[in-house]
Amino acid sequence: MKKNILVTGGSGFIGSNFIPHFLSKHPDYRIINLDKLTYAGNPKNLKEVETNPQYTFIHGDICDRILLEKIFMEHDIQGVIHFAAESHVDNSITGPGEFIRTNVTGTFTLIDVARISWKGKPHRFHHISTDEVYGTLGESGLFKETTPYAPNSPYSASKASSDLIVRAYHHTYGMNVVTTNCSNNYGPKQHDEKLIPTIIRKALTGEKIPVYGDGKNIRDWLYVEDHCTGIDLAFHKGVSGETYNIGGRNEKVNIDIVKEICSILDEKKPRSDKKPYSEQISFVTDRPGHDRRYAIDATKIENELGWKASENFTTGIHKTIQWYLENTGK
Ligand SMILES: NC(=O)c1ccc[n+]([C@@H]2O[C@H](COP(=O)([O-])OP(=O)(O)OC[C@H]3O[C@@H](n4cnc5c(N)ncnc54)[C@H](O)[C@@H]3O)[C@@H](O)[C@H]2O)c1
């Protein structure tokens, strides 16, 4: 008998890397992917599993309680991995309402239906969250699982709220939950709007490559495949009620990333005029409330669950650029 798990938001960037990864490792599972297919979800991302009998797609919204109840009953769901979210900070500044609806109300609806459907059975609910819930760092220090929450954008506030709802369902109802908070992911299939795909696309189309503010903001980069192995481990081995930070120990200043991508493109796909892509870099007005630095301490998941990132930024960005060169426009 295969075990059925519900993955939400599986047609987005991380979910669509996770599903093929998980199915290839675990032939004893079936995945039901519930995705609303917002602008960020792309069914093409999952072409490789479309005909796999272990995979079922359902088009729908995590805020739709009646649909969720039907899915839990008809598919005998025995675990949840919850990716679905509005995920782009810039969009949360121009339109925060959808972030509260999906990230807060959606997470509440999902975990509440799981609680009622599972009737006390210890099935796992794995919530995917972000390091942005911790706010911003100064020049030193790292986010640990014990760092107090201090979200600064409507996006991070909505994710922090969803983390607390999941936490409360463990403490109040004894649900078997685990939360992972990861740093910035990069890799194949990421939506065009995010930093790394934007740099690659604008470079290749000859447009200006926009860099916020002075370009000195620091993010800690995690190759998406490494994130998938971390989720798999935490889903199976994480201790109920615990949170685990997942980060690749790859702190990078934004402008250095832009320059590194430009110089890899100079080698892999030189401009027709042979000038460097870095000539296209253009500094633009900073994002309001832009957090200065994020950096994750991943010691807990490394020591307790034996996870380790296998890519550093240089190896990961080469793979990523190669993927975009081979797949852009398809
Ligand atoms: N990408 C990152 O760097 C990053 C970093 C930290 C945490 N996260 C978290 O990881 C998760 C996945 O991120 P991502 O980058 O893959 O996001 P994404 O924006 O690429 O994908 C989100 C997916 O959720 C779906 N979705 C949105 N609203 C929905 C709703 N109401 N019902 C059902 N489906 C809905 C979308 O259609 C899309 O397929 C999110 O929870 C995000 O907060 C992402």
Side-chain angles (χ1 to χ4, degrees), residues 107-323:
T107 301
F108 155 69
T109 310
L110 180 65
I111 198 167
D112 199 52
V113 170
R115 172 180 73 86
I116 293 165
S117 305
W118 288 344
K119 299 186 179 85
K121 290 195 197 97
H123 299 321
R124 171 134 290 182
F125 186 100
H126 184 147
H127 177 55
I128 309 294
S129 192
T130 168
D131 59 355
E132 300 193 29
V133 296
Y134 300 121
T136 187
L137 288 166
E139 285 184 5
S140 60
L142 298 169
F143 294 134
K144 295 180 188 300
E145 288 78 1
T146 49
T147 304
Y149 275 27
N152 290 321
S153 71
Y155 164 66
S156 52
S158 69
K159 291 298 290 186
S161 309
S162 64
D163 293 8
L164 297 182
I165 291 166
V166 171
R167 179 190 149 87
Y169 269 63
H170 170 71
H171 284 275
T172 306
Y173 304 112
M175 278 184 76
N176 175 4
V177 309
V178 74
T179 295
T180 46
N181 296 80
C182 67
S183 56
N184 279 35
N185 284 224
Y186 69 105
K189 305 182 188 172
Q190 190 163 27
H191 192 275
D192 270 0
E193 68 191 355
K194 299 285 169 65
L195 180 69
I196 287 177
T198 299
I199 300 167
I200 300 171
R201 186 181 74 256
K202 298 268 183 190
L204 294 175
T205 52
E207 293 169 75
K208 286 185 175 168
I209 303 169
V211 177
Y212 280 134
D214 61 4
K216 299 276 174 60
N217 298 64
I218 295 174
R219 297 292 180 266
D220 185 355
W221 292 89
L222 173 64
Y223 191 64
V224 66
E225 195 70 20
D226 281 330
H227 187 195
C228 293
T229 62
I231 295 168
D232 188 358
L233 267 176
F235 178 72
H236 286 108
K237 298 193 175 150
V239 175
S240 178
E242 291 293 317
T243 65
Y244 297 89
N245 284 348
I246 311 181
R249 297 187 189 275
N250 282 305
E251 268 190 70
K252 287 284 205 184
V253 179
N254 282 352
I255 187 65
D256 292 344
I257 290 182
V258 181
K259 287 180 181 160
E260 191 166 342
I261 293 174
C262 286
S263 70
I264 295 170
L265 285 174
D266 288 339
E267 272 172 39
K268 284 189 188 279
K269 201 173 182 2
R271 270 172 44 158
S272 50
D273 62 5
K274 306 289 180 234
K275 289 190 176 159
Y277 283 101
S278 55
E279 284 197 355
Q280 291 165 233
I281 294 173
S282 162
F283 290 92
V284 299
T285 311
D286 207 356
R287 168 191 278 167
H290 202 179
D291 288 337
R292 195 66 176 168
R293 175 172 170 259
Y294 303 144
I296 281 237
D297 181 352
T299 307
K300 180 173 170 182
I301 191 165
E302 287 167 351
N303 289 351
E304 295 184 13
L305 305 185
W307 177 82
K308 202 167 175 1
S310 54
E311 303 291 345
N312 60 41
F313 190 76
T314 302
T315 58
I317 199 64
H318 270 89
K319 286 187 177 180
T320 306
I321 292 175
Q322 193 58 38
W323 187 88

